[in-house]
Amino acid sequence: MRPELKAPRESSGEPRPASAATAGLTLETPLVDVSRISRDRLAGLHRLGLRSVGDLLRHFPRRFEDQRQRLTLAQLRPGLTATVEVVVAELHPRRARYRHMELLQGEVEDATGRAEVIWFNQPHLRKVLHPGDRITVHGKVVRGTRGIPKIQNPEVERERRTVAQAKVGVLVPTYPETARVTSRWLRALIADLLPLADTASETLPPEVMEKESLLGLAPALRQMHFPEDQEALAQARHRFGFEELFFPQLAALLSRRQRMAKTGTRSPYEVNLAREFVAQLPFSLTDSQRRAAHEILIDLDRPSPMNRLLQGDVGSGKTVVAAMAARMAIAAGHQVVLMAPTEILARQHHETLRSLLAPFDIWPRLLVGSTKAAQRREILGGLAAGADRLLVGTHALIEDDVLLPLLGLCIVDEQHRFGVAQRLRLRDKAAANPDFLSMTATPIPRSLSLTLYGDLDVSQIRELPPNRRRVVTRLVEPASRDQAYQFIREQVAEGRQGFIICPLIEDAPGLEVRSATAEYERLSQEVLPDLRLVLLHGKMPARDKAERMRAFAAGEFDLLVATSVIEVGVDVPNATVIGIEGAERFGLAQLHQFRGRVGRGEHESHCLLFTDDQDPAGRARLQALINHSDGFDLAEIDLRLRGSGDPYGLRQHGFPEMRVGDLLDDGLRERARAAAERVLSRDPDLRDPILRRGIKGYQVVFEFD
Ligand code: ADP
Ligand code: MG
């Protein structure tokens, strides 16, 4: 994924004299061939995604410790983030409420006093830490329960810093540790290999380097690991930050430029047809639906292929807009497909399109994994002959034997769940480049969408249909559980229905099914035996799920108990209450999606956030959900509340990780974009092999040749 470091572009004579540590090594040398790395540690490095010496030099420290700022335990105060050198006094492994979550609690001491420590989900620490060990911990200090401070989930360095390491200066790099790779060991290894940074060839073009006054690659690599001072570190970070914002935008702009140069299909904007479509709707369109439809219809009328994203909260009425686009493309003689990520969603779209387009004598076909062979043959025949014009389905519709000779418009729901590869297969079914309309209910703040979706034009629906009510959202503490169940019972007594979402169990979807099943049994036997409950989870066969969903929508059950895999977009207007168990474990975007399942009808709706977590950060997120109802606002808040790791959910979008760059830095992002535009105007096909290498990792998210 990450840009590789290659040997110098122009050979400037002999390579620099290598020290003993780097003899025979280059940046391309696989780590397996570096003799001083044992097999054991090699496995650890591989787990970190590091394969070559070059990768290692781009594995940047998580933070730097300023050696002048060491504290003693007596100096700790709640709210500080501190580094202390301590001795482990006692350790007590614990298991948390959810089985997979491990806690390690204990106390540490130094000459000045004691502190509590607690680690979450770091099982390897249990094996390597023992009372009496001298360790350095770095973490947030909170108020303890035993009259002494408490250090929460600190980073640990197991070995004592020796005098030899004084060579690293005041700013000591600290690397993320894994079971076999300690920060200290990495620091020493990288220090020895760092001279090879001088053989790295520059990845940014000279004119960009100059205009932006960026630090060269080699010195930047050195300063990232062993900075001379804060200023030098800031310059190095600026360079890599710029680079990380430059390449995705360059890739996106290239993709857009190449698309605009292609000829595709046209569907003329027939104003009368649009009016006729709107006139037969049982409601009037919202202003933002109107605007979005207009933008799409203008795109369809252009000869270049459309690539537009339609963003709007669950229930904002995207499908209606998509149906209008389908209507126009079909009137122009094209075939249209709508691809959804799951069978339930595909069925629902099929149903919606059928009722919206029946007045125009357009009859959508449905193709999913469970479609019977005979029926499938019949559908494929109708499509291949061009007689059927509208196909709705799951990825079953990209199979090779699905022929769509007239394909002109592809509508993809929840497009981030499909990759570029699937998209290309769809495109290849068409004779000419078809138009693409992607739909998503995942709100992406504008600051991010410029980069993440830089190759797309975006239409947003930012208002809900007027008959919608705000969903009343509240916390349910353990003590008020019974009241909450009573509330659900009352809703059902009034003829309404509800959902219960079971806790998210990361890394153990198997457990999720078990816990949902257990919750279903507990609720139906002990808590709500008087209600009709139905269970839905991801491990059920698709047919089963579809049948249960249908029965629930038809009112044959009162309460649907589901794992978090329950499909986005499910439309049951009679459902007015949704309870989310372990609410603090979900991201804001997902909670907002869940909440969107209710409030789709005429009745006041409620979202109950079950939680027993007191962590202030988790509370802040739930509070944001209570205070805000707009998905875009919540997405912005989520960005600011989320900490380290993958703060922008980039991996979910298939993006290479951003390690230094900050997508929220508008100024830098705009400079990087301007630089990418300049580069492209000089080299429109991006022939420069160095730049090609820089955008390679983005080929999974942006389409370019
Ligand atoms: P989305 O796909 O954005 O989740 P849908 O298109 O499925 O939303 O619409 C959700 C529900 O709202 C559907 O039942 C639809 O018929 C209805 N709806 C859509 N637009 C409007 C509107 N302008 N006024 C009233 N109801 C609408
Ligand atoms: Mg929908």
Side-chain angles (χ1 to χ4, degrees):
M1 285 283 197
R2 54 184 62 99
E4 273 177 34
L5 301 165
K6 294 279 174 184
R9 255 187 266 183
E10 62 272 293
S11 97
S12 51
E14 288 299 298
R16 293 189 177 219
S19 73
T22 58
L25 299 179
T26 70
L27 293 171
E28 286 80 49
T29 307
L31 293 176
V32 65
D33 295 337
V34 180
S35 54
R36 55 178 289 192
I37 302 177
S38 68
R39 292 181 74 87
D40 217 32
R41 289 197 154 129
L42 185 67
L45 293 173
H46 283 174
R47 246 200 327 276
L48 290 169
L50 309 175
R51 301 259 147 203
S52 67
V53 172
D55 289 348
L56 198 62
L57 297 195
R58 285 227 177 204
H59 182 63
F60 299 138
R62 172 185 297 179
R63 60 181 185 84
F64 292 88
E65 191 193 306
D66 190 333
Q67 291 202 317
R68 293 163 304 191
Q69 281 173 11
R70 285 291 188 86
L71 296 180
T72 61
L73 290 181
Q75 293 170 309
L76 297 191
R77 297 286 173 272
L80 284 177
T81 296
T83 306
V84 278
E85 201 175 313
V86 293
V87 173
V88 177
E90 38 186 285
L91 285 174
H92 314 283
R94 294 265 157 78
R95 263 157 201 282
R97 293 178 302 279
Y98 302 106
R99 255 165 299 181
H100 70 293
M101 164 101 121
E102 292 206 32
L103 295 183
L104 184 59
Q105 285 181 311
E107 287 194 12
V108 294
E109 62 189 0
D110 70 2
T112 68
R114 274 201 171 212
E116 289 178 62
V117 263
I118 182 161
W119 287 279
F120 314 109
N121 277 339
Q122 300 207 40
H124 75 275
L125 285 180
R126 252 173 87 169
K127 293 181 214 120
V128 298
L129 280 191
H130 306 283
D133 286 354
R134 179 171 289 279
I135 59 174
T136 303
V137 294
H138 172 86
K140 179 122 198 251
V141 183
V142 297
R143 200 168 298 283
T145 44
R146 280 168 250 163
I148 51 175
K150 181 168 177 176
I151 310 173
Q152 218 168 36
N153 215 26
E155 288 167 25
V156 180
E157 256 192 68
R158 273 170 282 146
E159 283 123 319
R160 204 177 169 177
R161 200 154 291 134
T162 58
V163 186
Q165 298 209 291
K167 72 178 178 197
V168 300
V170 237
L171 294 173
V172 181
T174 301
Y175 299 87
E177 292 206 346
T178 63
R180 296 191 185 91
V181 179
T182 65
S183 178
R184 180 190 168 188
W185 179 78
L186 258 182
R187 186 186 304 134
L189 178 66
I190 291 175
D192 282 350
L193 297 176
L194 205 52
L196 288 168
D198 292 341
T199 69
S201 66
E202 185 50 60
T203 49
L204 289 168
E207 82 257 26
V208 174
M209 298 288 300
E210 197 174 319
K211 180 132 197 335
E212 298 295 326
S213 323
L214 297 176
L215 196 58
L217 178 56
L221 283 171
R222 287 175 173 277
Q223 297 296 335
M224 280 305 275
H225 292 283
F226 300 102
E228 275 155 33
D229 49 36
Q230 292 287 2
E231 170 60 27
L233 176 61
Q235 275 189 29
R237 291 184 61 86
H238 177 73
R239 184 237 138 85
F240 288 111
F242 184 91
E243 189 175 334
E244 285 184 346
L245 292 170
F246 173 75
F247 282 117
Q249 296 193 91
L250 183 62
L253 288 170
L254 176 66
S255 166
R256 175 187 289 269
R257 181 180 285 257
Q258 290 185 342
R259 171 166 57 84
M260 297 311 271
K262 284 183 184 141
T263 18
T265 49
R266 260 197 76 202
S267 304
Y269 193 156
E270 306 269 4
V271 177
N272 287 339
L273 284 189
R275 290 218 179 98
E276 187 194 18
F277 179 87
V278 173
Q280 58 74 39
L281 290 172
F283 44 75
S284 52
L285 292 179
T286 61
D287 286 344
S288 39
Q289 278 174 314
R290 236 176 256 284
R291 201 175 323 113
H294 184 64
E295 287 164 353
I296 293 166
L297 295 180
I298 287 179
D299 274 3
L300 289 180
D301 198 352
R302 292 205 172 106
S304 52
M306 168 170 82
N307 194 18
R308 187 169 280 277
L309 177 68
L310 178 58
Q311 279 187 318
D313 264 2
V314 174
S316 61
K318 297 181 292 294
T319 316
V320 179
V321 173
M324 194 156 159
R327 164 77 183 118
M328 209 57 79
I330 291 168
H334 303 302
Q335 283 175 318
V336 177
V337 299
L338 191 164
M339 181 161 74
T342 68
E343 191 160 327
I344 289 182
L345 276 178
R347 285 181 188 281
Q348 192 164 318
H349 281 307
H350 178 248
E351 198 48 50
T352 309
L353 290 182
R354 202 164 58 159
S355 64
L356 288 169
L357 297 173
F360 311 105
D361 202 23
I362 295 171
W363 304 99
R365 308 304 309 253
L366 177 71
L367 193 64
V368 291
S370 62
T371 305
K372 294 243 164 60
Q375 196 182 7
R376 184 166 189 277
R377 252 193 319 276
E378 196 256 315
I379 293 172
L380 296 194
L383 292 166
D388 281 314
R389 294 297 170 87
L390 181 54
L391 175 65
V392 180
T394 54
H395 49 264
L397 56 75
I398 52 178
E399 300 280 302
D400 285 336
D401 57 350
V402 182
L403 301 179
L404 298 158
L406 303 176
L407 181 59
L409 171 62
C410 304
I411 304 168
V412 184
D413 192 17
E414 292 303 322
Q415 59 98 39
H416 63 271
R417 288 170 72 172
F418 298 101
V420 164
Q422 279 161 312
R423 208 184 137 92
L424 291 180
R425 287 185 63 186
L426 204 48
R427 189 182 71 184
D428 287 344
K429 294 187 180 299
N433 289 297
D435 290 312
F436 267 91
L437 175 65
S438 308
M439 303 195 284
T440 182
T442 307
I444 317 263
R446 194 174 156 65
S447 45
L448 301 196
S449 76
L450 282 172
T451 310
L452 293 177
Y453 292 149
D455 60 333
L456 296 170
D457 297 303
V458 180
S459 295
Q460 289 186 345
I461 304 185
R462 284 203 68 160
E463 58 192 324
L464 290 180
N467 54 351
R468 279 322 132 64
R469 299 221 208 163
R470 192 182 163 129
V471 178
V472 181
T473 305
R474 57 179 179 273
L475 287 180
V476 180
E477 310 278 353
S480 43
R481 245 171 205 281
D482 288 347
Q483 263 169 283
Y485 291 130
Q486 187 53 34
F487 178 77
I488 293 173
R489 192 176 273 120
E490 284 159 16
Q491 291 285 305
V492 170
E494 286 172 25
R496 307 282 85 79
Q497 292 167 282
F499 301 99
I500 297 283
I501 307 294
C502 296
L504 174 75
I505 302 181
E506 275 160 31
D507 309 325
L511 273 186
E512 222 159 78
V513 170
R514 256 172 43 207
S515 86
T517 309
E519 181 67 3
Y520 165 76
E521 272 157 21
R522 187 181 77 87
L523 290 174
S524 51
Q525 283 159 26
E526 297 164 29
V527 187
L528 299 163
D530 44 330
L531 305 192
R532 299 167 302 162
L533 274 63
V534 61
L535 174 68
L536 193 74
H537 63 64
K539 283 278 146 60
M540 288 174 176
R543 289 196 142 268
D544 247 30
K545 280 194 278 190
E547 168 51 25
R548 285 171 190 228
M549 205 50 235
R550 186 210 55 76
F552 178 68
E556 293 165 29
F557 294 101
D558 304 314
L559 198 58
L560 179 81
V561 180
T563 49
S564 56
V565 299
I566 175 187
E567 331 294 339
V568 179
V570 167
D571 195 10
V572 182
N574 191 44
T576 55
V577 55
I578 182 162
I580 304 168
E581 286 285 349
E584 76 283 353
R585 325 196 81 220
F586 294 103
L588 263 184
Q590 207 175 0
L591 288 170
H592 179 65
Q593 296 268 4
F594 290 146
R595 182 168 63 178
R597 308 256 156 69
V598 297
R600 296 171 77 95
E602 61 202 281
H603 307 282
E604 181 172 72
S605 294
H606 304 265
C607 175
L608 309 175
L609 305 169
F610 290 92
T611 182
D612 55 3
D613 187 82
Q614 297 299 334
D615 174 50
R619 285 284 156 136
R621 277 189 312 141
L622 298 183
Q623 199 54 48
L625 196 74
I626 291 169
N627 296 344
H628 296 268
S629 55
D630 180 83
F632 292 93
D633 291 344
L634 283 168
E636 292 276 1
I637 293 168
D638 206 15
L639 265 186
R640 276 179 252 121
L641 290 179
R642 273 200 258 179
S644 56
D646 183 18
Y648 312 119
L650 293 181
R651 251 165 283 157
Q652 180 197 327
H653 297 93
F655 252 77
E657 211 177 335
M658 196 160 286
R659 289 169 298 168
V660 184
D662 181 358
L663 280 170
L664 293 184
D665 184 340
D666 294 338
L668 191 61
R669 191 188 59 238
E670 275 157 27
R671 293 193 73 92
R673 185 178 189 88
E677 271 163 0
R678 281 196 305 276
V679 163
L680 269 180
S681 62
R682 162 176 69 71
D683 180 7
D685 297 316
L686 210 68
R687 294 191 194 283
D688 183 342
I690 311 278
L691 291 172
R692 278 275 158 188
R693 212 181 298 130
I695 61 172
K696 205 161 179 272
Y698 299 95
Q699 202 130 29
V700 292
V701 279
F702 299 124
E703 198 185 310
F704 52 81
D705 304 325

